[in-house]
Each structure stands twice: as C-alpha cells, then as structure tokens.
Amino acid sequence: MMKDDLDRILLTEEEIQNRVREMGREISRDYAGKNPLFVGVLKGCFVFMADLMRSVEVPASVDFMVVSSYGKGVKTSGAVAIIKDLSQDIEGRDVVIVEDILDTGVTLSYLTRYLQNRRPASLTIATLLDKPERRRADVDARYVGFTVPDYFVVGYGLDYAEKYRNLPYIGILKPSVYS
Ligand code: IMP
Ligand code: MG
C-alpha cells in the first residue's frame, strides 16, 4: 500500500480541508466584486485547486499551464520549460496562480515574470505548501496554506515519480523510496 512508503503523515485530511476552506474565504473577501482567473500549474495543483475553487464564493474562471522543472527526481533542475501555455488572454484580468508547493521558488519566479509580461490587472500566488528553507529565487506568495520543513512530501496532488497524488493527506516519503 502507498502508506507503507511514508515515514509519517504531516498534514491530515481534516487539517488540509479546514485550511483550504479558510484560504477560499480569504480569497473571496479579497476578490469581492471581481472575476479572478485561477491559473493552475499542472499536475500538482489539481486536487488543491478543485477544493480551493469550491470554497471561493466570487465568480471565478479556470485555466491551466503545464510547466516542467523536476522530471522524476526529487531535486529541481533549475530550468523551467512551458509545456502547455494558457488558452486565453490575461490582459486586464485578476490572475491567481495556484501551485501545490513553493520550494526553491525557481518555477514560480519564472512563471510570475512570464505572466506579468501579458499585463494582467493583478497577479497573486496561492500555494498549498511553502518550504522556505530551500528558497533560491525571490517569490512573494499572497496565500500560503502551510509552511513545512524540508522533507520530500507526497499526497493531495503532490507526487514522487507520478505516484501518491491520490492520497487524501500529505505524508513524508521514506528516503529509502527515492535514494
Ligand atoms: P520549485 O521550482 O523548486 O519551487 O519547485 C516547485 C515544484 O517542485 C512543485 O510544483 C513540485 O512539483 C515540486 N516539488 C518541490 N518539493 C516537492 C515535494 O516535497 N514533494 C513533491 N513535489 C515537490
Ligand atoms: Mg508542481
């Protein structure tokens, strides 16, 4: 079972659900009267984004990007490639980038600059997890679910080698699984 590959559970399903609902309420207040466009960074965002969107009470739109930075390993390569771009113009839109985890910051600092060039009315970041110990690039996330220590974590959308995304909680992967 997937659970056998974990050292322990870091965030339970209930903790995640409660916090994501709070984030949705915060976003609803901040974007009152607006129609934000949520840009999910696939694939890691999909579970978080589905829950977050359903806690947001203002009319919101969705789009997705696919960005590659990791491959199968647990260390970022430092290079970011856009595999799939947005399917719409974002000029004048209030954009919220939705990410699973902010780690070195390389992905989000690149993406922020990339999208800023298209002149959105505003651009903010909502990330479920923040791992500040490993930060290499300057990124300012307006909405952070949880700040976590420097462990490799999986579940609730986050993977290792495309596995564990379907765990409803977030766990610390046993180093023996990837070393
Ligand atoms: P960054 O560019 O280093 O900030 O990397 C962000 C991306 O790396 C995330 O969107 C994840 O896909 C991946 N990542 C970073 N840390 C973890 C982790 O602990 N578990 C799973 N994926 C991770
Ligand atoms: Mg990701």
Side-chain angles (χ1 to χ4, degrees), residues 67-165:
V67 168
S68 92
S69 57
Y70 257 61
K72 278 186 184 161
V74 293
K75 290 237 161 63
T76 192
S77 63
V80 180
I82 307 283
I83 311 291
K84 183 219 168 279
D85 208 326
L86 294 174
S87 50
Q88 63 197 277
D89 190 15
I90 59 165
E91 186 169 349
R93 297 297 306 271
D94 293 297
V95 174
V96 182
I97 302 177
V98 181
E99 247 289 34
D100 52 359
I101 182 166
L102 173 54
D103 185 23
T104 64
V106 170
T107 308
L108 281 176
S109 77
Y110 179 85
L111 212 54
T112 305
R113 272 177 286 128
Y114 185 79
L115 295 180
Q116 202 73 64
N117 277 335
R118 299 184 186 171
R119 304 174 175 283
S122 66
L123 183 63
T124 60
I125 293 170
T127 183
L128 178 67
L129 306 179
D130 180 14
K131 227 195 248 180
E133 280 170 55
R134 288 178 21 103
R135 196 77 84 253
R136 273 173 25 209
D138 200 32
V139 175
D140 182 27
R142 164 97 56 96
Y143 309 99
V144 174
F146 302 91
T147 300
V148 296
D150 184 14
Y151 295 115
F152 196 82
V153 293
V154 294
Y156 198 70
L158 291 121
D159 75 309
Y160 169 66
E162 296 300 329
K163 285 196 302 196
Y164 312 105
R165 293 194 199 272

Side-chain angles (χ1 to χ4, degrees), residues 27-28 30-37 56-60 93-94 121-122:
I27 291 173
S28 303
D30 293 351
Y31 290 84
K34 296 183 173 161
N35 169 216
L37 172 66
V56 168
E57 290 176 3
V58 297
R93 297 297 306 271
D94 293 297
S122 66

